[in-house]
Protein backbone atom coordinates (compact mmCIF):
# COMPACT_ATOMS: atom_id res chain seq x y z
CA UNK A 1 0.00 0.00 0.00
CA UNK A 2 1.16 3.49 -0.77
CA UNK A 3 0.20 6.89 0.59
CA UNK A 4 -0.08 10.29 -1.02
CA UNK A 5 1.13 12.23 2.01
CA UNK A 6 3.69 11.96 4.79
CA UNK A 7 2.96 11.29 8.42
CA UNK A 8 2.42 8.46 10.87
CA UNK A 9 0.56 5.32 9.81
CA UNK A 10 -2.20 4.67 12.34
CA UNK A 11 -3.63 1.57 10.69
CA UNK A 12 -3.78 -0.59 7.58
CA UNK A 13 -7.21 -2.20 7.46
CA UNK A 14 -10.30 -2.80 5.39
CA UNK A 15 -12.60 0.22 5.42
CA UNK A 16 -15.63 1.33 3.48
CA UNK A 17 -14.38 3.14 0.39
CA UNK A 18 -15.57 6.65 -0.49
CA UNK A 19 -17.76 5.39 -3.31
CA UNK A 20 -21.51 5.03 -3.81
CA UNK A 21 -21.05 1.26 -4.11
CA UNK A 22 -20.44 0.83 -0.38
CA UNK A 23 -17.59 -1.60 -1.08
CA UNK A 24 -14.75 -1.93 1.37
CA UNK A 25 -11.07 -2.19 0.58
CA UNK A 26 -7.63 -2.11 2.15
CA UNK A 27 -6.84 1.44 3.31
CA UNK A 28 -4.02 3.24 5.06
CA UNK A 29 -5.05 5.64 7.82
CA UNK A 30 -2.41 8.32 8.28
CA UNK A 31 -2.05 11.14 10.76
CA UNK A 32 -0.52 13.68 8.39
CA UNK A 33 2.45 15.72 9.55
CA UNK A 34 1.66 18.73 7.35
CA UNK A 35 5.03 18.43 5.57
CA UNK A 36 3.77 16.48 2.56
CA UNK A 37 7.24 15.01 2.06
CA UNK A 38 7.92 12.55 -0.72
CA UNK A 39 10.21 9.62 -1.20
CA UNK A 40 12.95 10.23 -3.74
CA UNK A 41 12.25 8.47 -7.04
CA UNK A 42 14.25 5.32 -7.70
CA UNK A 43 14.55 4.96 -11.47
CA UNK A 44 14.96 1.44 -12.80
CA UNK A 45 18.34 1.27 -14.43
CA UNK A 46 18.64 -0.45 -17.77
CA UNK A 47 14.89 -0.93 -18.25
CA UNK A 48 15.51 -0.97 -22.01
CA UNK A 49 17.13 -4.41 -21.62
CA UNK A 50 14.88 -5.74 -18.83
CA UNK A 51 12.14 -8.31 -19.25
CA UNK A 52 8.57 -7.12 -18.56
CA UNK A 53 8.43 -8.86 -15.14
CA UNK A 54 11.10 -6.78 -13.38
CA UNK A 55 9.69 -3.57 -14.87
CA UNK A 56 6.19 -4.45 -13.65
CA UNK A 57 7.57 -5.29 -10.20
CA UNK A 58 9.31 -1.91 -10.04
CA UNK A 59 6.13 -0.10 -11.10
CA UNK A 60 4.21 -1.98 -8.38
CA UNK A 61 6.83 -1.26 -5.70
CA UNK A 62 6.83 2.45 -6.58
CA UNK A 63 3.05 2.62 -6.05
CA UNK A 64 2.30 3.99 -9.51
CA UNK A 65 -1.44 4.29 -10.09
CA UNK A 66 -3.70 5.78 -12.72
CA UNK A 67 -5.05 9.19 -11.87
CA UNK A 68 -8.61 8.59 -13.00
CA UNK A 69 -11.42 8.18 -10.52
CA UNK A 70 -10.83 4.45 -10.09
CA UNK A 71 -7.12 4.71 -9.16
CA UNK A 72 -6.23 1.40 -10.78
CA UNK A 73 -2.79 0.11 -9.98
CA UNK A 74 -0.75 0.49 -13.15
CA UNK A 75 1.11 -2.80 -12.71
CA UNK A 76 -2.17 -4.70 -12.33
CA UNK A 77 -3.63 -3.05 -15.42
CA UNK A 78 -0.54 -3.84 -17.51
CA UNK A 79 -0.34 -7.40 -16.17
CA UNK A 80 -3.94 -7.99 -17.19
CA UNK A 81 -2.99 -7.23 -20.80
CA UNK A 82 -0.18 -9.76 -20.65
CA UNK A 83 -2.05 -12.44 -18.70
CA UNK A 84 -5.54 -11.95 -20.11
CA UNK A 85 -7.29 -14.22 -22.59
CA UNK A 86 -5.68 -12.50 -25.59
CA UNK A 87 -2.14 -12.82 -24.14
CA UNK A 88 -0.73 -9.58 -25.40
CA UNK A 89 -1.41 -6.16 -26.76
CA UNK A 90 -2.15 -5.32 -30.37
CA UNK A 91 -2.87 -1.60 -29.97
CA UNK A 92 -1.69 0.62 -27.12
CA UNK A 93 -3.75 3.83 -26.95
CA UNK A 94 -2.37 6.74 -24.96
CA UNK A 95 -5.43 8.69 -23.86
CA UNK A 96 -4.60 12.38 -24.20
CA UNK A 97 -8.25 13.44 -24.39
CA UNK A 98 -9.80 15.41 -21.57
CA UNK A 99 -12.75 13.65 -19.95
CA UNK A 100 -14.79 16.77 -19.19
CA UNK A 101 -15.38 19.97 -21.17
CA UNK A 102 -13.18 22.80 -19.98
CA UNK A 103 -10.42 20.66 -18.48
CA UNK A 104 -6.87 21.38 -19.60
CA UNK A 105 -4.59 19.20 -17.43
CA UNK A 106 -3.83 16.64 -20.17
CA UNK A 107 -3.28 19.46 -22.66
CA UNK A 108 -0.81 21.25 -20.37
CA UNK A 109 1.08 18.06 -19.52
CA UNK A 110 1.47 17.14 -23.19
CA UNK A 111 2.65 20.65 -24.06
CA UNK A 112 5.08 20.95 -21.15
CA UNK A 113 6.25 17.37 -20.59
CA UNK A 114 5.98 15.67 -23.97
CA UNK A 115 9.47 14.17 -23.73
CA UNK A 116 8.72 12.62 -20.33
CA UNK A 117 5.43 11.23 -21.63
CA UNK A 118 7.30 9.76 -24.61
CA UNK A 119 9.74 8.11 -22.19
CA UNK A 120 6.78 6.57 -20.35
CA UNK A 121 5.37 5.34 -23.64
CA UNK A 122 8.68 3.61 -24.39
CA UNK A 123 8.61 1.89 -20.98
CA UNK A 124 5.05 0.64 -21.54
CA UNK A 125 5.99 -0.49 -25.05
CA UNK A 126 8.85 -2.50 -23.52
CA UNK A 127 6.32 -4.26 -21.28
CA UNK A 128 3.44 -4.77 -23.73
CA UNK A 129 5.27 -4.96 -27.06
CA UNK A 130 2.25 -3.59 -28.96
CA UNK A 131 2.01 -3.80 -32.73
CA UNK A 132 0.75 -0.21 -32.87
CA UNK A 133 0.88 2.73 -30.45
CA UNK A 134 -1.52 5.65 -30.87
CA UNK A 135 -1.67 8.92 -28.97
CA UNK A 136 -5.24 10.26 -29.07
CA UNK A 137 -5.61 14.02 -28.60
CA UNK A 138 -8.64 16.23 -29.21
CA UNK A 139 -8.24 18.34 -32.34
CA UNK A 140 -8.72 21.59 -30.40
CA UNK A 141 -5.34 21.05 -28.67
CA UNK A 142 -2.91 22.02 -31.48
CA UNK A 143 0.06 22.77 -29.21
CA UNK A 144 -0.27 19.38 -27.52
CA UNK A 145 -0.60 17.66 -30.89
CA UNK A 146 2.55 19.37 -32.12
CA UNK A 147 4.57 18.63 -28.96
CA UNK A 148 3.53 14.98 -28.83
CA UNK A 149 4.09 14.48 -32.57
CA UNK A 150 7.66 15.73 -32.13
CA UNK A 151 8.33 13.77 -28.92
CA UNK A 152 6.88 10.46 -30.16
CA UNK A 153 8.32 10.50 -33.68
CA UNK A 154 9.25 6.93 -34.57
CA UNK A 155 7.53 5.35 -31.54
CA UNK A 156 3.85 6.32 -31.85
CA UNK A 157 1.28 7.83 -34.17
CA UNK A 158 -0.53 10.93 -32.95
CA UNK A 159 -4.18 11.17 -33.96
CA UNK A 160 -6.33 14.28 -33.59
CA UNK A 161 -9.90 13.33 -32.71
CA UNK A 162 -13.08 15.37 -33.01
CA UNK A 163 -14.09 17.09 -29.79
CA UNK A 164 -17.07 15.12 -28.50
CA UNK A 165 -18.14 14.69 -24.92
CA UNK A 166 -16.95 12.45 -23.31
CA UNK A 167 -13.83 12.28 -25.48
CA UNK A 168 -11.59 10.93 -22.74
CA UNK A 169 -13.78 8.01 -21.73
CA UNK A 170 -11.59 4.93 -22.15
CA UNK A 171 -14.00 2.41 -23.69
CA UNK A 172 -15.29 4.57 -26.60
CA UNK A 173 -11.78 5.91 -27.23
Amino acid sequence: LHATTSGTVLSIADQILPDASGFSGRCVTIKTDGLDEKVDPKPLSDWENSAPGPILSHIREMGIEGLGGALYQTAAKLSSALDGPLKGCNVFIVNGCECEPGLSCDDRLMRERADEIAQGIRVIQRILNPKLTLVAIEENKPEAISAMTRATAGIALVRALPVRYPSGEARPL
Side-chain angles (χ1 to χ4, degrees):
L1 296 173
H2 297 271
T4 58
T5 190
S6 58
T8 303
V9 173
L10 300 178
S11 70
I12 300 175
D14 286 342
Q15 297 180 22
I16 294 180
L17 299 173
D19 183 82
S21 67
F23 290 124
S24 63
R26 183 74 38 144
C27 297
V28 178
T29 301
I30 298 172
K31 179 179 180 184
T32 61
D33 58 16
L35 301 175
D36 209 21
E37 293 177 326
K38 65 177 183 172
V39 175
D40 289 332
K42 298 175 186 165
L44 182 63
S45 63
D46 199 30
W47 62 265
E48 296 96 334
N49 297 309
S50 293
I55 301 171
L56 285 168
S57 293
H58 187 75
I59 289 170
R60 186 177 302 106
E61 289 168 15
M62 294 298 104
I64 298 171
E65 293 184 347
L67 294 176
L71 295 174
Y72 290 118
Q73 294 176 337
T74 300
K77 188 184 290 188
L78 295 172
S79 292
S80 72
L82 295 174
D83 300 333
L86 300 178
K87 300 284 187 218
C89 174
N90 285 321
V91 180
F92 169 38
I93 300 173
V94 179
N95 185 352
C97 296
E98 306 291 357
C99 62
E100 295 283 342
L103 292 183
S104 61
C105 56
D106 292 346
D107 180 36
R108 295 303 305 188
L109 283 170
M110 289 184 289
R111 286 192 217 182
E112 297 170 10
R113 297 184 178 245
D115 291 332
E116 292 172 61
I117 294 169
Q119 178 78 351
I121 290 170
R122 286 191 288 278
V123 171
I124 301 303
Q125 287 175 324
R126 179 72 184 150
I127 297 167
L128 297 178
N129 193 28
K131 294 177 178 75
L132 175 65
T133 300
L134 298 171
V135 179
I137 306 172
E138 294 158 305
E139 64 189 359
N140 65 347
K141 311 280 190 288
E143 294 92 350
I145 292 168
S146 176
M148 290 302 296
T149 299
R150 177 196 49 77
T152 62
I155 64 165
L157 299 174
V158 175
R159 292 294 180 253
L161 303 180
V163 179
R164 266 186 257 161
Y165 178 76
S167 295
E169 188 178 355
R171 289 188 189 274
L173 184 64

mmCIF file of all heavy atoms in Angstrom, residues 3 7 17 22 25 29-32 36 68 72 92 103 116 124 131 137 148 153 159-160 166 172:
data_model
loop_
_atom_site.group_PDB
_atom_site.id
_atom_site.type_symbol
_atom_site.label_atom_id
_atom_site.label_comp_id
_atom_site.label_asym_id
_atom_site.label_seq_id
_atom_site.Cartn_x
_atom_site.Cartn_y
_atom_site.Cartn_z
ATOM 1 N N ALA A 3 0.921 5.710 0.128
ATOM 2 C CA ALA A 3 0.195 6.885 0.587
ATOM 3 C C ALA A 3 0.571 8.103 -0.242
ATOM 4 O O ALA A 3 1.647 8.165 -0.826
ATOM 5 C CB ALA A 3 0.522 7.150 2.055
ATOM 6 N N GLY A 7 3.493 11.260 7.069
ATOM 7 C CA GLY A 7 2.958 11.294 8.424
ATOM 8 C C GLY A 7 3.164 9.960 9.099
ATOM 9 O O GLY A 7 4.020 9.173 8.709
ATOM 10 N N LEU A 17 -15.000 2.202 1.323
ATOM 11 C CA LEU A 17 -14.377 3.140 0.391
ATOM 12 C C LEU A 17 -15.307 4.318 0.117
ATOM 13 O O LEU A 17 -16.530 4.167 0.160
ATOM 14 C CB LEU A 17 -14.018 2.425 -0.907
ATOM 15 C CG LEU A 17 -13.027 1.273 -0.756
ATOM 16 C CD1 LEU A 17 -12.878 0.523 -2.068
ATOM 17 C CD2 LEU A 17 -11.682 1.770 -0.269
ATOM 18 N N GLY A 22 -20.478 1.343 -1.745
ATOM 19 C CA GLY A 22 -20.440 0.827 -0.383
ATOM 20 C C GLY A 22 -19.427 -0.286 -0.185
ATOM 21 O O GLY A 22 -19.376 -0.902 0.870
ATOM 22 N N GLY A 25 -12.364 -1.847 1.147
ATOM 23 C CA GLY A 25 -11.068 -2.186 0.583
ATOM 24 C C GLY A 25 -9.973 -1.850 1.567
ATOM 25 O O GLY A 25 -10.198 -1.154 2.566
ATOM 26 N N THR A 29 -4.627 4.459 7.074
ATOM 27 C CA THR A 29 -5.051 5.640 7.824
ATOM 28 C C THR A 29 -3.789 6.322 8.331
ATOM 29 O O THR A 29 -2.970 5.694 9.019
ATOM 30 C CB THR A 29 -5.971 5.256 9.000
ATOM 31 O OG1 THR A 29 -7.109 4.569 8.465
ATOM 32 C CG2 THR A 29 -6.430 6.497 9.757
ATOM 33 N N ILE A 30 -3.636 7.590 7.964
ATOM 34 C CA ILE A 30 -2.410 8.325 8.279
ATOM 35 C C ILE A 30 -2.747 9.596 9.039
ATOM 36 O O ILE A 30 -3.667 10.334 8.671
ATOM 37 C CB ILE A 30 -1.667 8.714 6.980
ATOM 38 C CG1 ILE A 30 -1.265 7.456 6.220
ATOM 39 C CG2 ILE A 30 -0.455 9.593 7.279
ATOM 40 C CD1 ILE A 30 -0.706 7.733 4.847
ATOM 41 N N LYS A 31 -2.000 9.838 10.093
ATOM 42 C CA LYS A 31 -2.052 11.141 10.756
ATOM 43 C C LYS A 31 -0.998 11.980 10.039
ATOM 44 O O LYS A 31 0.209 11.748 10.192
ATOM 45 C CB LYS A 31 -1.734 11.023 12.249
ATOM 46 C CG LYS A 31 -1.768 12.358 12.950
ATOM 47 C CD LYS A 31 -1.486 12.216 14.426
ATOM 48 C CE LYS A 31 -1.536 13.598 15.057
ATOM 49 N NZ LYS A 31 -1.171 13.543 16.471
ATOM 50 N N THR A 32 -1.465 12.901 9.205
ATOM 51 C CA THR A 32 -0.519 13.675 8.394
ATOM 52 C C THR A 32 0.317 14.593 9.269
ATOM 53 O O THR A 32 -0.118 15.043 10.319
ATOM 54 C CB THR A 32 -1.252 14.498 7.320
ATOM 55 O OG1 THR A 32 -2.142 15.404 7.965
ATOM 56 C CG2 THR A 32 -2.027 13.601 6.380
ATOM 57 N N ASP A 36 4.009 17.003 3.894
ATOM 58 C CA ASP A 36 3.769 16.479 2.558
ATOM 59 C C ASP A 36 5.073 16.101 1.863
ATOM 60 O O ASP A 36 5.297 16.411 0.696
ATOM 61 C CB ASP A 36 2.964 17.477 1.722
ATOM 62 C CG ASP A 36 2.119 16.796 0.669
ATOM 63 O OD1 ASP A 36 1.841 15.592 0.827
ATOM 64 O OD2 ASP A 36 1.749 17.454 -0.306
ATOM 65 N N GLY A 68 -7.167 8.474 -12.811
ATOM 66 C CA GLY A 68 -8.607 8.587 -12.999
ATOM 67 C C GLY A 68 -9.335 8.314 -11.696
ATOM 68 O O GLY A 68 -8.727 8.028 -10.674
ATOM 69 N N TYR A 72 -6.736 2.746 -10.522
ATOM 70 C CA TYR A 72 -6.234 1.401 -10.784
ATOM 71 C C TYR A 72 -4.726 1.361 -10.655
ATOM 72 O O TYR A 72 -4.025 2.265 -11.103
ATOM 73 C CB TYR A 72 -6.613 0.950 -12.196
ATOM 74 C CG TYR A 72 -8.072 0.693 -12.383
ATOM 75 C CD1 TYR A 72 -8.806 1.439 -13.288
ATOM 76 C CD2 TYR A 72 -8.722 -0.301 -11.664
ATOM 77 C CE1 TYR A 72 -10.160 1.200 -13.472
ATOM 78 C CE2 TYR A 72 -10.067 -0.543 -11.846
ATOM 79 C CZ TYR A 72 -10.779 0.211 -12.749
ATOM 80 O OH TYR A 72 -12.104 -0.025 -12.928
ATOM 81 N N PHE A 92 -1.839 -0.132 -28.365
ATOM 82 C CA PHE A 92 -1.686 0.621 -27.117
ATOM 83 C C PHE A 92 -2.139 2.048 -27.413
ATOM 84 O O PHE A 92 -1.558 2.729 -28.249
ATOM 85 C CB PHE A 92 -0.222 0.562 -26.665
ATOM 86 C CG PHE A 92 0.147 1.492 -25.544
ATOM 87 C CD1 PHE A 92 -0.708 1.749 -24.484
ATOM 88 C CD2 PHE A 92 1.387 2.104 -25.541
ATOM 89 C CE1 PHE A 92 -0.344 2.601 -23.448
ATOM 90 C CE2 PHE A 92 1.771 2.953 -24.519
ATOM 91 C CZ PHE A 92 0.909 3.200 -23.468
ATOM 92 N N LEU A 103 -11.649 21.094 -19.140
ATOM 93 C CA LEU A 103 -10.419 20.660 -18.477
ATOM 94 C C LEU A 103 -9.226 20.910 -19.391
ATOM 95 O O LEU A 103 -9.348 20.887 -20.616
ATOM 96 C CB LEU A 103 -10.485 19.176 -18.125
ATOM 97 C CG LEU A 103 -11.476 18.762 -17.058
ATOM 98 C CD1 LEU A 103 -11.368 17.273 -16.789
ATOM 99 C CD2 LEU A 103 -11.260 19.525 -15.769
ATOM 100 N N GLU A 116 8.891 13.560 -21.440
ATOM 101 C CA GLU A 116 8.719 12.624 -20.326
ATOM 102 C C GLU A 116 7.591 11.633 -20.624
ATOM 103 O O GLU A 116 7.688 10.448 -20.291
ATOM 104 C CB GLU A 116 8.429 13.382 -19.036
ATOM 105 C CG GLU A 116 9.616 14.193 -18.545
ATOM 106 C CD GLU A 116 9.251 15.077 -17.372
ATOM 107 O OE1 GLU A 116 8.844 14.527 -16.328
ATOM 108 O OE2 GLU A 116 9.360 16.309 -17.500
ATOM 109 N N ILE A 124 6.238 1.486 -21.379
ATOM 110 C CA ILE A 124 5.053 0.641 -21.544
ATOM 111 C C ILE A 124 5.199 -0.238 -22.789
ATOM 112 O O ILE A 124 4.820 -1.414 -22.782
ATOM 113 C CB ILE A 124 3.767 1.489 -21.615
ATOM 114 C CG1 ILE A 124 3.597 2.334 -20.355
ATOM 115 C CG2 ILE A 124 2.539 0.609 -21.860
ATOM 116 C CD1 ILE A 124 3.576 1.584 -19.068
ATOM 117 N N LYS A 131 1.758 -3.918 -31.290
ATOM 118 C CA LYS A 131 2.012 -3.803 -32.730
ATOM 119 C C LYS A 131 1.876 -2.360 -33.194
ATOM 120 O O LYS A 131 2.504 -1.941 -34.159
ATOM 121 C CB LYS A 131 1.044 -4.710 -33.487
ATOM 122 C CG LYS A 131 1.263 -6.189 -33.220
ATOM 123 C CD LYS A 131 0.231 -7.043 -33.934
ATOM 124 C CE LYS A 131 0.467 -8.507 -33.705
ATOM 125 N NZ LYS A 131 0.101 -8.992 -32.397
ATOM 126 N N ILE A 137 -5.504 12.667 -29.140
ATOM 127 C CA ILE A 137 -5.607 14.022 -28.602
ATOM 128 C C ILE A 137 -6.758 14.720 -29.314
ATOM 129 O O ILE A 137 -6.908 14.586 -30.534
ATOM 130 C CB ILE A 137 -4.302 14.830 -28.820
ATOM 131 C CG1 ILE A 137 -3.094 14.061 -28.254
ATOM 132 C CG2 ILE A 137 -4.408 16.216 -28.197
ATOM 133 C CD1 ILE A 137 -1.753 14.693 -28.600
ATOM 134 N N MET A 148 3.520 16.449 -28.906
ATOM 135 C CA MET A 148 3.527 14.985 -28.831
ATOM 136 C C MET A 148 3.969 14.357 -30.147
ATOM 137 O O MET A 148 4.638 13.318 -30.142
ATOM 138 C CB MET A 148 2.150 14.463 -28.410
ATOM 139 C CG MET A 148 1.796 14.767 -26.970
ATOM 140 S SD MET A 148 2.977 14.108 -25.761
ATOM 141 C CE MET A 148 2.773 12.353 -26.034
ATOM 142 N N ALA A 153 7.927 10.867 -32.311
ATOM 143 C CA ALA A 153 8.320 10.502 -33.682
ATOM 144 C C ALA A 153 9.070 9.171 -33.658
ATOM 145 O O ALA A 153 10.006 8.976 -32.889
ATOM 146 C CB ALA A 153 9.194 11.594 -34.291
ATOM 147 N N ARG A 159 -2.923 11.005 -33.227
ATOM 148 C CA ARG A 159 -4.175 11.168 -33.959
ATOM 149 C C ARG A 159 -5.028 12.232 -33.286
ATOM 150 O O ARG A 159 -5.290 12.149 -32.087
ATOM 151 C CB ARG A 159 -4.963 9.849 -34.026
ATOM 152 C CG ARG A 159 -4.284 8.805 -34.876
ATOM 153 C CD ARG A 159 -4.265 9.253 -36.343
ATOM 154 N NE ARG A 159 -3.641 8.304 -37.204
ATOM 155 C CZ ARG A 159 -2.441 8.471 -37.755
ATOM 156 N NH1 ARG A 159 -1.743 9.546 -37.497
ATOM 157 N NH2 ARG A 159 -1.950 7.572 -38.575
ATOM 158 N N ALA A 160 -5.432 13.231 -34.075
ATOM 159 C CA ALA A 160 -6.329 14.280 -33.586
ATOM 160 C C ALA A 160 -7.764 13.795 -33.769
ATOM 161 O O ALA A 160 -8.152 13.384 -34.863
ATOM 162 C CB ALA A 160 -6.099 15.568 -34.356
ATOM 163 N N PRO A 166 -18.191 12.371 -24.097
ATOM 164 C CA PRO A 166 -16.954 12.454 -23.307
ATOM 165 C C PRO A 166 -15.773 11.882 -24.106
ATOM 166 O O PRO A 166 -15.648 10.676 -24.228
ATOM 167 C CB PRO A 166 -17.260 11.594 -22.089
ATOM 168 C CG PRO A 166 -18.200 10.530 -22.625
ATOM 169 C CD PRO A 166 -18.951 11.163 -23.765
ATOM 170 N N PRO A 172 -15.034 4.064 -25.247
ATOM 171 C CA PRO A 172 -15.291 4.569 -26.600
ATOM 172 C C PRO A 172 -14.006 4.971 -27.327
ATOM 173 O O PRO A 172 -13.905 4.818 -28.530
ATOM 174 C CB PRO A 172 -16.187 5.783 -26.386
ATOM 175 C CG PRO A 172 -16.797 5.601 -25.049
ATOM 176 C CD PRO A 172 -15.783 4.829 -24.246
#
